Amino acid sequence: MGEKGSLRTTLHRHGLRVTPQRQLVLDAVRELGHATPEQVRRRVQGTAQTVNITTIYRALDVLEEIGLVRHTHLGHGAPTYSADEHEHVHLVCHRCGEIDEVPCELLGDLAARLRERRGFELDATHLALSGTCRACGASDDVEHPDRAVEETS
């Protein structure tokens, strides 16, 4: 069964109906990989010009409720949506805006400590870590060599 059949089956299982707008929104999220509602709107309006941002938000809410998309806050501003098969931690450079992804398993030790010490189950698939990417860090080293850590004997 293809992706469209999957949407139909999932919606029907939840007592909801398939609409062209929901299908277009899901297709846009899958095509874009990570997308804000505004980016989804632009993609959808390439096919259906009359679909407005309110319809996009409603469709994203329904698709998230039934588990076909997830949202992550990658910083300030609108959340970013991705298809359910995207399960990773986002690394967001607060200087250049670069977004990288690493497997959730990378946080396994942290998740185990949180579970053990706090009884907290970490959902790393909603997680975005902010920092400085390799390229921005390297440019700092070149621009400000006096900031380099001096090694002591």
Side-chain angles (χ1 to χ4, degrees), residues 37-52:
E38 183 59 32
Q39 291 168 324
V40 171
R41 182 197 59 80
R42 283 195 299 270
R43 177 63 62 104
V44 168
Q45 284 184 341
T47 304
Q49 293 178 350
T50 60
V51 176
N52 62 38

Side-chain angles (χ1 to χ4, degrees), residues 15-76:
L16 301 167
R17 63 187 176 86
V18 178
T19 64
Q21 294 86 353
R22 289 175 179 164
Q23 185 64 62
L24 287 168
V25 168
L26 180 59
D27 291 345
V29 170
R30 286 178 171 159
E31 290 165 13
L32 294 167
H34 296 98
T36 64
E38 183 59 32
Q39 291 168 324
V40 171
R41 182 197 59 80
R42 283 195 299 270
R43 177 63 62 104
V44 168
Q45 284 184 341
T47 304
Q49 293 178 350
T50 60
V51 176
N52 62 38
I53 195 68
T54 303
T55 301
I56 300 297
Y57 273 104
R58 286 181 184 149
L60 287 168
D61 286 346
V62 167
L63 294 171
E64 185 166 28
E65 184 180 309
I66 63 174
L68 291 177
V69 300
R70 302 184 71 111
H71 81 277
T72 304
H73 293 275
L74 298 179
H76 303 294

Side-chain angles (χ1 to χ4, degrees), residues 74 91-100 130-140:
L74 298 179
L91 306 177
V92 182
C93 180
H94 56 79
R95 291 209 185 137
C96 69
E98 175 80 20
I99 299 171
D100 198 1
S130 179
T132 306
C133 71
R134 182 176 297 170
C136 289
S139 71
D140 264 1

Side-chain angles (χ1 to χ4, degrees), residues 62-147:
V62 167
L63 294 171
E64 185 166 28
E65 184 180 309
I66 63 174
L68 291 177
V69 300
R70 302 184 71 111
H71 81 277
T72 304
H73 293 275
L74 298 179
H76 303 294
T80 300
Y81 290 83
S82 60
D84 58 341
E85 58 268 3
H86 284 89
E87 293 196 357
H88 45 252
V89 176
H90 298 90
L91 306 177
V92 182
C93 180
H94 56 79
R95 291 209 185 137
C96 69
E98 175 80 20
I99 299 171
D100 198 1
E101 302 167 354
V102 295
C104 294
E105 296 80 40
L106 192 64
L107 297 179
D109 290 343
L110 173 61
R113 281 193 203 143
L114 290 171
R115 186 180 316 107
E116 179 183 301
R117 295 182 183 175
R118 303 282 187 181
F120 184 82
E121 287 296 325
L122 179 66
D123 177 4
T125 61
H126 271 343
L127 191 60
L129 301 175
S130 179
T132 306
C133 71
R134 182 176 297 170
C136 289
S139 71
D140 264 1
D141 293 344
V142 170
E143 292 173 15
H144 305 286
D146 55 320
R147 291 187 189 170

